[in-house]
Amino acid sequence: MRAVLPLALVALQAASAWHLGALDRRAAVRAGALAIVPFARPLPSFAAQPDYAGAKAALKDLIDKDPEFGPTLLRLAWHSSGTYDKMTKTGGSGQGTIRFTEELKHGGNAGLDKAVARVEPIHAQFPSVSYADLYTLAGVTAIEAAGGPKVGWRAGRVDALSPDAVTPDGRLPDADKGRPRDTANHLRFEVFYRMGFDDREIVALSGAHALGFCHPDASGYSGPWTPTPTTLTNGYYNLLLNLPWTLKEWDGPMQFEDPSGKLMMLPSDIVLIQDNKFRSYVKMYAKDQALFFSDFAAAFQKLEELGCKNLKTVNLA
């Protein structure tokens, strides 16, 4: 005769199964009771709902304690998303692959291993939030913390389980291709058009350079673009247009400096005023910060959602 388990014991076994993984129902039928077997993922009925609001608050607290880390989080989100290719439909933020060593070794990601490491405790605190969602959420949180616009963000990215999903190196923008025309063509055809952006969106997204610094031990370049590197404004465009930028004499790669020697621009920044089509949008954003914020927010949400499927709006309050 098969033993009949008390209801309390059955409930205890079911609760334990949430931790171990899943219930082997066929074995349970054969044994006359619930059998517990290890499994990689918890049962949906017991799974904790991702606490996106809590994760955002933790990211905001990290930035509040170290405001200069905000632009680095923005760069992490940008680089995790900027690998998308619309022809092959590969890359993008959807699988959180920038956490893999193979992608962190890409030239454009120099120094981001430190950012990934600093975000890891937040993922440990909110493990049901995927890395892919966490990195993109960090980007929009950093923008808001810098006084920028509220950027739309949706959840539901599913992490890749292995680095097999890492795309080839070379999909992120280079700062210099030797000649202005080659640099402009690189930005257009090799990077942004490949993802589905137009010239206006290229210039809008470039406004993120209002934030942060270049570091010789990461990109090789040195210095901030603006005098307010933790505050997002349209000042980047005004500086491009109104200051005389000259080549910096130093042992590093080619970059430009203002008369004070305190600010810098990359060749890929200067090309925005050398190319007539780009320059028209630089002028437009220099005159109208509200327009810049609106276009930047739309372009950044698009960047973070390239190639993603089944995203959903969630409560971040």
Side-chain angles (χ1 to χ4, degrees), residues 32-103:
L34 293 175
I36 303 171
V37 296
F39 195 68
R41 299 175 68 182
L43 281 172
S45 59
F46 293 108
Q49 292 300 310
D51 183 3
Y52 298 112
K56 182 179 180 181
L59 289 164
K60 178 62 165 53
D61 184 61
L62 189 61
I63 297 169
D64 287 344
K65 292 176 179 177
D66 182 6
E68 291 187 0
F69 188 55
T72 302
L73 287 177
L74 175 56
R75 179 175 175 237
L76 175 64
W78 208 116
H79 285 216
S80 75
S81 307
T83 58
Y84 184 68
D85 176 63
K86 67 180 181 180
M87 298 300 293
T88 62
K89 301 187 185 306
T90 58
S93 71
Q95 299 186 76
T97 56
I98 201 168
R99 73 190 192 276
F100 292 122
T101 301
E102 289 81 355
E103 188 163 333

Side-chain angles (χ1 to χ4, degrees), residues 107-108 169-178 182-184 186-187 190-192 209 221 266-269 271:
D169 194 1
R171 291 192 179 185
L172 296 171
D174 288 332
D176 184 20
K177 286 297 185 180
D182 294 337
T183 301
H186 166 70
L187 292 177
E190 297 177 12
V191 180
F192 288 96
H209 279 178
Y221 297 93
L266 306 173
S268 55
D269 298 307
V271 80

Side-chain angles (χ1 to χ4, degrees):
M1 179 180 296
R2 295 186 304 180
V4 178
L5 295 178
L7 289 178
L9 181 55
V10 172
L12 177 61
Q13 286 184 315
S16 299
W18 182 84
H19 295 286
L20 293 178
L23 298 175
D24 186 338
R25 298 188 183 280
R26 287 177 296 180
V29 171
R30 292 195 298 269
L34 293 175
I36 303 171
V37 296
F39 195 68
R41 299 175 68 182
L43 281 172
S45 59
F46 293 108
Q49 292 300 310
D51 183 3
Y52 298 112
K56 182 179 180 181
L59 289 164
K60 178 62 165 53
D61 184 61
L62 189 61
I63 297 169
D64 287 344
K65 292 176 179 177
D66 182 6
E68 291 187 0
F69 188 55
T72 302
L73 287 177
L74 175 56
R75 179 175 175 237
L76 175 64
W78 208 116
H79 285 216
S80 75
S81 307
T83 58
Y84 184 68
D85 176 63
K86 67 180 181 180
M87 298 300 293
T88 62
K89 301 187 185 306
T90 58
S93 71
Q95 299 186 76
T97 56
I98 201 168
R99 73 190 192 276
F100 292 122
T101 301
E102 289 81 355
E103 188 163 333
L104 286 171
K105 287 182 178 179
H106 290 179
N109 291 331
L112 284 179
D113 56 327
K114 298 175 184 177
V116 168
R118 288 189 67 180
V119 172
E120 183 62 31
I122 297 179
H123 184 266
Q125 184 180 358
F126 302 95
S128 57
V129 177
S130 68
Y131 283 104
D133 277 343
L134 186 62
Y135 297 151
T136 52
L137 181 58
V140 302
T141 304
I143 291 168
E144 292 178 28
K150 184 176 179 62
V151 179
W153 183 82
R154 298 188 295 168
R157 297 165 184 80
V158 179
D159 292 329
L161 299 180
S162 80
D164 292 342
V166 172
T167 55
D169 194 1
R171 291 192 179 185
L172 296 171
D174 288 332
D176 184 20
K177 286 297 185 180
R179 298 184 305 172
R181 177 182 298 179
D182 294 337
T183 301
N185 286 339
H186 166 70
L187 292 177
R188 283 190 172 103
F189 300 106
E190 297 177 12
V191 180
F192 288 96
Y193 287 6
R194 186 202 73 225
M195 291 190 281
F197 291 108
D198 60 23
D199 285 0
R200 180 168 177 158
E201 291 169 314
I202 292 173
V203 178
L205 287 170
S206 297
H209 279 178
L211 299 173
F213 297 77
C214 283
H215 300 278
D217 62 345
S219 65
Y221 297 93
S222 179
W225 286 268
T226 73
T228 55
T230 59
T231 303
L232 184 62
T233 71
N234 66 337
Y236 165 79
Y237 303 107
N238 283 289
L239 292 169
L240 269 175
L241 290 169
N242 297 319
L243 291 183
W245 296 96
T246 58
L247 283 173
K248 180 177 181 178
E249 295 183 8
W250 73 315
D251 294 333
M254 186 173 74
Q255 67 179 63
F256 296 81
E257 63 181 359
D258 75 321
S260 74
K262 296 179 179 179
L263 304 180
M264 70 96 209
M265 291 287 174
L266 306 173
S268 55
D269 298 307
I270 297 298
V271 80
L272 298 182
I273 56 175
Q274 293 172 323
D275 181 278
N276 288 334
K277 291 183 179 178
F278 286 153
R279 186 183 179 93
S280 66
Y281 296 116
V282 171
K283 289 182 176 179
M284 187 172 67
Y285 294 140
K287 293 178 181 178
D288 192 337
Q289 179 165 288
L291 178 62
F292 162 53
F293 275 13
S294 176
D295 284 3
F296 178 78
F300 197 82
Q301 180 175 3
K302 175 179 174 178
L303 173 70
E304 290 201 323
E305 295 188 354
L306 291 172
C308 298
K309 299 179 180 179
N310 303 318
L311 298 182
K312 60 183 180 181
T313 300
V314 296
N315 183 14
L316 293 175

